[in-house]
Amino acid sequence: MQARWERAPAPPIMQGALFMDAELRPHRSLSASGFKLVFAVLVLMNLLMAAYMIAQGAHLVLPFLGLDVLAVWLAFRWNYREARRREFVRIGPEQVHVASVDAKGRAAHWVINPLWARVVREAGAGVIIRAHADQMRVGAFLSPKEQAGLANAIEAALSRAKRGG
């Protein structure tokens, strides 16, 4: 294995004990039932506003209130779709495996020898695993505190891998 990130067609078979096996997911701040409640309140408020405006003779307000509801629904739909993204970081004695699964379920796998890997911290940009000029960014969607914890965990796992266990 070279001193750069290599693309793998499938998840590699990890030999030996794993020093790290993490699954990273974007945070969803609203559950499905919470979304239904918020959306129902939004629709109710818009219907009340529409009834008032129609009573005042402002009939053209109704389509704009409908667009408002549509825009909020599309924004939540996009947010929930993006929340299906996943990243996996696995560190063993012979290789570091990073997988990224997009919202549609397509996966990309990358591997490198842990002897070449090191962690670089950049505030708010995720955790960077660098090998010479090549780098892999993981956890960009995590909060700064979670990114710091992930960086510490990756550093510890890489240290154990470099020592041989």
Side-chain angles (χ1 to χ4, degrees), residues 1 7 11 15 22 30 33 35 40-41 52 55 64 71 79 81 83 87 96 111 132 136 159 163:
M1 192 173 293
R7 181 98 187 233
Q15 302 292 330
L30 196 59
S33 60
F35 166 71
V41 168
Y52 175 76
F64 289 103
N79 179 273
R81 186 184 71 226
E87 290 180 355
V96 176
V111 293
H132 295 294
M136 182 68 54
S159 177
R163 287 193 320 259

Side-chain angles (χ1 to χ4, degrees), residues 130-144:
R130 186 170 286 160
H132 295 294
D134 287 348
Q135 65 183 20
M136 182 68 54
R137 186 179 313 268
V138 294
F141 48 78
L142 298 174
S143 70

Side-chain angles (χ1 to χ4, degrees), residues 40-53:
V41 168
L42 175 70
V43 168
L44 179 64
M45 295 297 289
N46 276 359
L47 287 174
L48 291 173
M49 182 62 72
Y52 175 76
M53 291 303 213

Side-chain angles (χ1 to χ4, degrees), residues 108-145:
H109 302 277
W110 300 89
V111 293
I112 193 168
N113 189 312
L115 295 175
W116 301 106
R118 62 185 170 86
V119 175
V120 178
R121 298 168 190 247
E122 287 184 15
V127 178
I128 298 171
I129 305 172
R130 186 170 286 160
H132 295 294
D134 287 348
Q135 65 183 20
M136 182 68 54
R137 186 179 313 268
V138 294
F141 48 78
L142 298 174
S143 70
K145 187 176 180 180

Side-chain angles (χ1 to χ4, degrees), residues 9-127:
I13 297 172
M14 303 289 280
Q15 302 292 330
L18 288 178
F19 303 123
M20 180 175 192
D21 188 4
E23 178 181 354
L24 309 174
R25 301 175 185 206
H27 178 68
R28 284 182 36 185
S29 59
L30 196 59
S31 67
S33 60
F35 166 71
K36 289 176 186 175
L37 178 65
V38 167
F39 200 71
V41 168
L42 175 70
V43 168
L44 179 64
M45 295 297 289
N46 276 359
L47 287 174
L48 291 173
M49 182 62 72
Y52 175 76
M53 291 303 213
I54 288 173
Q56 297 296 321
H59 300 283
L60 292 177
V61 171
L62 186 61
F64 289 103
L65 291 173
L67 286 175
D68 180 39
V69 170
L70 177 65
V72 169
W73 180 77
L74 287 173
F76 271 102
R77 182 176 172 179
W78 176 79
N79 179 273
Y80 280 109
R81 186 184 71 226
E82 286 299 309
R84 290 193 303 250
R85 290 181 25 200
R86 303 281 183 270
E87 290 180 355
F88 298 89
V89 179
R90 297 173 73 200
I91 300 175
E94 296 179 4
Q95 59 187 317
V96 176
H97 169 232
V98 174
S100 177
V101 180
D102 67 12
K104 294 181 180 179
R106 295 179 298 223
H109 302 277
W110 300 89
V111 293
I112 193 168
N113 189 312
L115 295 175
W116 301 106
R118 62 185 170 86
V119 175
V120 178
R121 298 168 190 247
E122 287 184 15
V127 178

